[in-house]
Amino acid sequence: MELCERFKEFRERGRCVVYFPNVHEGEDPDAYGIFLSLMRLQMGLMVLAPDTEARFEPVYRDALKYHLQTIRHSRLFTSFVPIKTRVYFVETAAVSNAFYPCVDFCIPGGTLHGGTVDLATPIAARCPMILGPQMPDNEWRSGLLDVGGAVWAKDQEETVQLAKAWLDDPQAARAAAEKAYAWWQGRP
């Protein structure tokens, strides 16, 4: 079974799938805050992947305080993610990049609180990106914003508003991902 097919029932019911890849130390509370705000607007699933294997277990244990039904990727015993699941926890570094094509959009780790940011992987997978408030002011951010290849939120509230806009207009999100890919391919 292809990985994205695991979310089939979510798609059939019009629910969103939001990815927080490579979440750094201190970013997971923001990821949960953004997701919980989105849940008030549209039901869905958060895919969460910590940035290092050493953080998988501590982040998973900390996630329990949010009281959201969570399934660990490595322990999913069925083909499909059950519809009552709210958090799909990725604890295998080898598969974390495979989720980019499966989601409505991602908010890359390092853009919420700072740290190393990987934009090349989601761009190569044509995943729409919302850049968090700590996205460095660099050539990647300016280049992507100039061509409409991503959106940038100045704070958590704006992150939720930008996410809502893309959930309301998924074609705009996909168009941004294509612009990002074209920009990335044209870089020297």
Side-chain angles (χ1 to χ4, degrees):
M1 166 185 270
E2 186 179 322
L3 186 64
C4 295
E5 289 178 22
R6 289 186 170 197
F7 307 115
K8 181 180 181 201
E9 193 171 358
F10 285 87
R11 296 295 182 206
E12 288 172 350
R13 293 187 182 198
R15 295 185 179 183
C16 65
V17 180
V18 180
Y19 192 19
F20 291 87
N22 302 313
V23 175
H24 296 310
E25 184 80 38
E27 290 187 316
D28 37 302
D30 283 354
Y32 278 98
I34 291 164
F35 179 68
L36 289 169
S37 294
L38 287 175
M39 290 281 290
R40 292 185 199 111
L41 305 169
Q42 181 178 349
M43 293 299 287
L45 175 75
M46 174 170 77
V47 179
L48 180 67
D51 60 334
T52 64
E53 288 188 26
R55 290 184 7 87
F56 290 162
E57 194 62 30
V59 171
Y60 175 75
R61 281 195 310 273
D62 196 45
L64 299 176
K65 72 182 178 188
Y66 294 99
H67 305 289
L68 297 171
Q69 185 175 352
T70 302
I71 287 189
R72 296 166 85 147
H73 169 74
S74 64
R75 298 191 180 149
L76 180 66
F77 299 112
T78 64
S79 297
F80 299 105
V81 177
I83 195 68
K84 291 183 180 180
T85 303
R86 294 293 165 255
V87 180
Y88 189 86
F89 190 80
V90 181
E91 57 185 347
T92 308
V95 299
S96 63
N97 291 344
F99 288 93
Y100 288 112
C102 305
V103 300
D104 293 293
F105 58 85
C106 69
I107 302 174
T111 70
L112 294 172
H113 271 254
T116 304
V117 180
D118 172 17
L119 298 182
T121 305
I123 289 172
R126 292 179 166 97
C127 181
M129 295 182 299
I130 297 175
L131 307 175
Q134 294 303 311
M135 175 63 198
D137 184 9
N138 59 24
E139 66 177 287
W140 284 79
R141 186 178 88 182
S142 61
L144 288 167
L145 295 178
D146 286 349
V147 300
V151 292
W152 173 52
K154 294 167 187 70
D155 56 37
Q156 189 167 328
E157 184 177 313
E158 189 174 7
T159 305
V160 172
Q161 294 306 313
L162 292 169
K164 182 185 180 317
W166 273 1
L167 291 174
D168 290 341
D169 187 359
Q171 288 77 20
R174 291 290 163 204
E178 290 301 324
K179 291 175 186 175
Y181 185 77
W183 172 81
W184 182 62
Q185 289 290 302
R187 291 183 74 227

